[in-house]
Amino acid sequence: MNQRERRTFLIENLLKEQPRYAKMQIPSEENEQRTLLRSLMNIRMPGFISEDFLQIQDEYFAEIRKEKGMITLSDMEEVKPGIYIWQGDITRLEVGAIVNAANSGMTGCYQPCHNCIDNCIHTYAGIQLRNKCAEIMDAQEYEEPTGQAKITPAYNLPCDYVIHTVGPIVQGGLTKEHERLLESCYRSCLTIADENGVSSIAFCCISTGVFMFPNERAAKIAVETVSKYKEEKNSGIKVIFNVFKDEDAAIYHRLLR
């Protein structure tokens, strides 16, 4: 199969699972097909999927990885020993683990093609990630508390693991409790990474954006917590601060220099 054939196969099978979309025509234009495939993956609830589907999905994403290109530590700027800054798509990083800013349900973003990091990570990891997260949550039997962390395989992403953490949502002004919980997110992610032998971890800007944590304060907590953890634990883990916006890149460069 070529990529177009794989994409058509995946779309057709996902449409069959959705009776309301069963008669939908598959667009002929490639970008529209990609959007439709991502949307169908985003709205799909956790559940059984055939091995044939997973094999073709995995082949499809292997080609997507080549197309997007993978980024390693050698491509990044080391601003302090063992501390890096990289601006761009976190799903391209070939590192030990990337951090997902999850919600308390932990199974990803269900809004079609939403541009949040949770949606992007679940999309390009493939259906297996949502199923794995659902398995963890079914066993846990309660929503994920803010400030903790869970680790899963990365499936079709170039990293080895995804570490999921729920950051604090700032409503009605920033409080000391918000700051404590954000610090706990970073420390929990680092702890679970070290426990699993992860040699490098890429943090997104946890709780900023729609969670409304002020960018400058969030970055300062991130840098201070990482530095303190590495010193206290004598941890050799390499840490990447992965930013997407120019604003955040400027903040992290200023704090780390």
Side-chain angles (χ1 to χ4, degrees):
M1 281 188 176
N2 59 33
Q3 278 297 79
R4 187 178 188 89
E5 291 167 338
R6 292 185 187 104
R7 191 165 50 245
T8 301
F9 173 89
L10 298 173
I11 291 171
E12 286 175 345
N13 277 266
L14 291 171
L15 285 173
K16 287 175 185 175
E17 292 185 338
Q18 302 281 345
R20 55 184 168 160
Y21 301 131
K23 296 182 180 179
M24 179 181 287
Q25 292 291 317
I26 299 176
S28 58
E29 205 273 325
E30 179 181 341
N31 285 337
E32 291 181 3
Q33 288 183 359
R34 288 184 179 223
T35 299
L36 177 57
L37 176 57
R38 178 170 176 176
S39 298
L40 290 167
M41 291 180 69
N42 292 160
I43 65 171
R44 186 183 191 274
M45 298 299 291
F48 172 80
I49 194 77
S50 72
E51 288 300 320
D52 287 344
F53 182 97
L54 292 178
Q55 180 181 339
I56 292 171
Q57 175 209 248
D58 293 354
E59 291 171 358
Y60 179 77
F61 280 124
E63 293 300 315
I64 294 292
R65 286 198 304 273
K66 293 178 188 175
E67 176 188 309
K68 292 170 73 172
M70 291 175 279
I71 303 296
T72 66
L73 284 174
S74 62
D75 300 309
M76 303 177 197
E77 180 184 5
E78 187 174 16
V79 290
K80 282 188 174 182
I83 304 287
Y84 301 76
I85 296 175
W86 192 76
Q87 184 173 7
D89 179 359
I90 201 169
T91 67
R92 295 175 62 196
L93 300 188
E94 192 176 5
V95 295
I98 62 173
V99 173
N100 179 29
N103 57 50
S104 59
M106 287 286 284
T107 57
C109 169
Y110 288 82
Q111 184 175 332
C113 296
H114 192 239
N115 201 34
C116 69
I117 193 168
D118 197 15
N119 189 296
C120 293
I121 287 174
H122 273 270
T123 295
Y124 294 106
I127 281 173
Q128 298 99 315
L129 182 58
R130 177 164 285 171
N131 282 349
K132 181 64 176 178
C133 288
E135 178 187 317
I136 291 170
M137 296 307 289
D138 286 346
Q140 180 165 289
E141 296 185 332
Y142 55 86
E143 289 192 336
E144 181 71 1
T146 302
Q148 297 185 15
K150 295 286 191 297
I151 190 167
T152 65
Y155 299 103
N156 288 289
L157 295 168
C159 54
D160 297 321
Y161 298 99
V162 178
I163 296 175
H164 310 259
T165 189
V166 180
I169 300 172
V170 177
Q171 293 177 325
L174 186 66
T175 66
K176 290 294 183 184
E177 180 63 6
H178 292 136
E179 294 182 340
R180 185 193 69 79
L181 288 168
L182 185 60
E183 179 182 343
S184 179
C185 286
Y186 282 94
R187 183 169 283 272
S188 296
C189 289
L190 289 163
T191 299
I192 204 168
D194 270 340
E195 288 172 351
N196 286 272
V198 174
S199 61
S200 56
I201 181 171
F203 283 104
C204 59
C205 298
I206 303 168
S207 276
T208 58
V210 295
F211 278 25
M212 297 174 287
F213 207 108
N215 296 54
E216 179 93 27
R217 185 65 186 134
K220 189 171 183 183
I221 290 169
V223 170
E224 288 176 349
T225 305
V226 165
S227 299
K228 186 177 180 181
Y229 176 90
K230 282 171 67 68
E231 183 178 352
E232 284 178 357
K233 305 295 184 181
N234 194 28
S235 173
I237 192 168
K238 293 179 170 60
V239 174
I240 303 106
F241 291 111
N242 183 100
V243 298
F244 195 75
K245 297 178 180 178
D246 291 341
E247 173 192 0
D248 291 313
I251 291 170
Y252 275 96
H253 274 101
R254 184 173 69 253
L255 290 174
L256 287 164
R257 291 187 189 284

